Amino acid sequence: MARVLEIAEMGREILRARAAEVALPAGTDLRRLTADMALTMAAAEGVGIAAPQVFAGVRAMIVAPRANERYPDGDAEGEEGVASFAAFNPEIAEASAEMEEDWEGCLSVPGLRGLVPRHRAISAVWRDAAGNRCAAELHGFAARVFQHELDHLDGILFLDRMKSLRALATENEFNRLMSERRGDAE
Ligand code: NI
């Protein structure tokens, strides 16, 4: 049975360390870790999670770019349609020069949201649990989540990517802003 794990919050050293490559195919421990990460992410309404966030310094992450309570816009534009996947030893093979700013939060940075520039499109490569090479062209929200989670494996938090901390908001204010925006759109 998978368990909900404790989430490391900003200030913990493991969130600032480079995670180690994993050996594949995944053994029992790595498979259990991945299942626990998926459950922990779902319980916290996350759209992605990286192993260092649950105190495991390995290059494993889950990308789940679906709309939910915390990310109501998620993939609502209907352009991505990317199912959630676990990625081991992930990399970005190519990235668009074009950047896009949008709001991000992080389970390890509770209560805050910030405007973060990311590559609009990326060629992502990774290994699945069996060790097979996987590749996908990701754009928009899915590309954003992949970049955010990959950063976790290199000790980088979304705050480090922000152009200015003036584009930081509390979750309460972010929610107010979003509901105002939805109101304007109607
Ligand atoms: Ni995060």
Side-chain angles (χ1 to χ4, degrees):
M1 279 284 278
R3 304 165 303 157
V4 172
L5 303 174
E6 185 196 348
I7 294 174
E9 295 186 357
M10 184 168 60
R12 288 287 193 147
E13 244 166 65
I14 193 157
L15 293 174
R16 292 314 198 168
R18 187 176 192 280
E21 303 267 316
V22 292
L24 298 166
T28 315
D29 286 356
L30 187 55
R31 285 178 188 274
R32 183 176 301 140
L33 171 68
T34 310
D36 290 348
M37 282 166 59
L39 190 65
T40 304
M41 177 189 74
E45 302 254 27
V47 289
I49 193 166
Q53 293 186 275
V54 292
F55 298 91
V58 293
R59 302 186 81 77
M61 64 188 217
I62 296 172
V63 173
R66 294 280 178 206
N68 68 21
E69 191 86 353
R70 282 183 72 238
Y71 288 89
D73 289 340
D75 63 354
E77 290 153 29
E79 50 167 352
E80 350 279 339
V82 176
S84 83
F85 60 92
F88 302 96
N89 302 335
E91 283 174 55
I92 294 172
E94 235 180 298
S96 67
E98 192 190 339
M99 307 292 282
E100 201 168 62
E101 268 198 333
D102 210 342
W103 291 96
E104 289 185 22
C106 180
L107 299 179
S108 295
V109 188
L112 291 178
R113 297 291 181 115
L115 270 181
V116 184
R118 297 285 184 188
H119 298 287
R120 206 192 70 75
I122 56 169
S123 298
V125 292
W126 68 94
R127 301 278 167 172
D128 67 14
N132 299 309
R133 187 180 182 279
C134 304
E137 305 299 314
L138 302 178
H139 58 274
F141 192 61
R144 175 170 299 277
V145 175
F146 192 97
Q147 290 170 81
H148 177 116
E149 302 313 331
L150 180 54
D151 269 354
H152 275 302
L153 306 184
D154 293 320
I156 297 166
L157 297 175
F158 79 82
L159 295 158
D160 306 328
R161 297 284 190 193
M162 291 178 64
K163 282 191 265 184
S164 163
L165 292 180
R166 297 176 78 101
L168 200 58
T170 64
E171 202 135 57
N172 285 339
E173 284 303 317
F174 168 79
N175 289 334
R176 196 177 57 80
L177 188 70
M178 290 300 119
S179 64
E180 265 179 24
R181 235 182 241 181
R182 276 193 295 273
D184 288 347
E186 276 160 17

